[in-house]
Amino acid sequence: MTEKLSAQRNRYPLEHLPAGVHICWQVDGDEDFHASLAGIAQAVASAGAAFLYIVDRRPLTALRRQLHAIAPEVTAQGKAFLLEPPQILLDNARFDEQTALAQLRRFTLSHRAGGLPAPWIVVEMSWATWGLPGSDRWQAFESLLDSAGQELYGMFLCQYDRRHCPPDMLAEALRFHPYILFNGWVVPNQVYPGPIPSPILEREAVMVQMGLDGDSYQEYLRVFLEEAESHAARLSEAVQAGSAKQVDYHAHSLKGAAATIGAVRVRDAAWELEQMGKRGSLAGAPQALEKLLQEIESVRRITAR
């Protein structure tokens, strides 16, 4: 992606970024925050884009006033959406990375469908320090966001306030972002290892969570593979028949079963098909189904070892 950016001494201006960029914005005090927000708001205004800010610790009213002072055209045209995490990231005070990503996907795709510029989205990440159920999955959310890339049609900045986020969280966050916002410029993240692939099975985590020994887990896994094969067959029929409703139903069922057993890649592949079914558009469904079948086979192979 670097060659697509207009570089100046290895620094990239915010207004020249292509859609799909995933940036780590580590705020170091109010002065740094205000300067960076000004650059972001001006880039949003220049692009004529919408701006979604998921705000955690900052008062919404004060932030809206500040944004209006910086870029009045954004707020005047009703393109600025300031929400708190429970409104878009949390479901009944619980965090689920797939639900959060689906919410962001709906927001960005609505702009793409309307022929609008890619929206800018800032997610203030200090909600992950609340200790709410599922909030320890924030890394999984960042990994999904990083892997989704340009598919999401948005400019994503994940904001970490150094005054509220612990040092180990700040260090961990850098693993998921190819770029960093620093003094109003975007710079390459030298410690970024590239998108981190999901594990095929989260075996140990599920065994601890469900209180299972190795033999019991293997039995659950055997039953899951039987169910997965059945759902995959029904999904194949539904895709061939063009039945979005049946794709949604069977993909949703398979996604839940995969999540329970810790088959992460199967869960994610099923989720992709589920979203196609919910949208009523099966363009790309044959390819998504093939990916799902490959992930089911991956689980089968490591189970047979």
Side-chain angles (χ1 to χ4, degrees):
M1 185 178 293
T2 302
E3 64 274 9
K4 296 182 181 179
L5 303 177
S6 175
Q8 179 181 342
R9 296 183 181 178
N10 222 27
R11 304 183 305 175
Y12 313 120
L14 281 161
E15 61 268 22
H16 291 173
L17 298 176
V21 172
H22 187 209
I23 303 169
C24 185
W25 176 18
Q26 295 199 1
V27 176
D28 193 10
D30 286 338
E31 184 176 346
D32 176 41
F33 170 76
H34 296 322
S36 295
L37 181 64
I40 294 168
Q42 288 161 6
V44 172
S46 176
F51 184 34
L52 171 62
Y53 199 139
I54 302 172
V55 188
D56 186 6
R57 292 182 175 270
R58 301 179 185 278
L60 290 179
T61 302
L63 185 59
R64 186 176 294 278
R65 281 200 302 266
Q66 183 181 1
L67 185 61
H68 182 74
I70 297 170
E73 58 270 44
V74 176
T75 54
Q77 295 175 16
K79 293 182 178 180
F81 304 90
L82 276 61
L83 303 174
E84 294 178 331
Q87 295 172 271
I88 194 165
L89 293 182
L90 307 179
D91 182 14
N92 294 324
R94 180 178 182 85
F95 176 75
D96 176 80
E97 67 272 17
Q98 293 285 352
T99 300
L101 189 68
Q103 292 271 50
L104 296 180
R105 186 188 299 271
R106 278 193 286 271
F107 182 82
T108 59
L109 291 184
S110 67
H111 287 76
R112 170 176 277 177
L116 301 172
W120 287 67
I121 298 174
V122 173
V123 182
E124 193 173 355
M125 294 294 294
S126 51
W127 58 267
T129 64
W130 295 356
L132 294 172
S135 60
D136 59 339
R137 300 283 300 171
W138 69 269
Q139 298 102 321
F141 170 66
E142 285 281 31
S143 182
L144 280 176
L145 201 55
D146 188 35
S147 300
Q150 295 185 7
E151 171 200 349
L152 284 181
Y153 190 68
M155 325 291 285
F156 292 91
L157 295 97
C158 297
Q159 179 188 324
Y160 294 83
D161 195 317
R162 292 177 179 272
R163 295 168 297 183
H164 304 299
C165 298
D168 57 342
M169 184 180 187
L170 296 171
E172 181 75 4
L174 293 175
R175 296 175 55 233
F176 304 104
H177 300 84
Y179 297 98
I180 301 170
L181 180 59
F182 180 74
N183 286 342
W185 290 84
V186 176
V187 298
N189 177 7
Q190 300 300 324
V191 301
Y192 174 66
I196 300 172
S198 301
I200 296 175
L201 278 176
E202 291 185 332
R203 187 191 308 264
E204 289 75 15
V206 171
M207 288 173 61
V208 170
Q209 183 179 5
M210 298 179 66
L212 301 175
D213 59 22
D215 291 340
S216 299
Y217 180 81
Q218 285 299 116
E219 178 60 22
Y220 271 93
L221 198 54
R222 183 190 65 78
V223 173
F224 163 73
L225 285 169
E226 291 179 356
E227 292 181 0
E229 186 174 326
S230 175
H231 283 302
R234 302 289 83 77
L235 278 167
S236 180
E237 294 171 358
V239 169
Q240 291 179 20
S243 174
K245 183 177 180 180
Q246 287 298 305
V247 167
D248 178 16
Y249 174 79
H250 288 290
H252 177 78
S253 299
L254 179 53
K255 182 190 73 174
T260 300
I261 203 66
V264 179
R265 297 187 192 178
V266 174
R267 178 201 65 190
D268 293 348
W271 179 81
E272 292 289 345
L273 274 168
E274 179 190 13
Q275 297 306 303
M276 293 179 184
K278 288 187 183 303
R279 293 195 299 268
S281 173
L282 299 183
Q287 294 83 356
L289 177 61
E290 180 60 30
K291 178 182 177 182
L292 174 63
L293 295 176
Q294 291 173 0
E295 298 302 350
I296 293 173
E297 183 58 30
S298 295
V299 174
R300 191 184 304 281
R301 283 199 301 270
I302 68 169
T303 303
R305 291 175 186 170

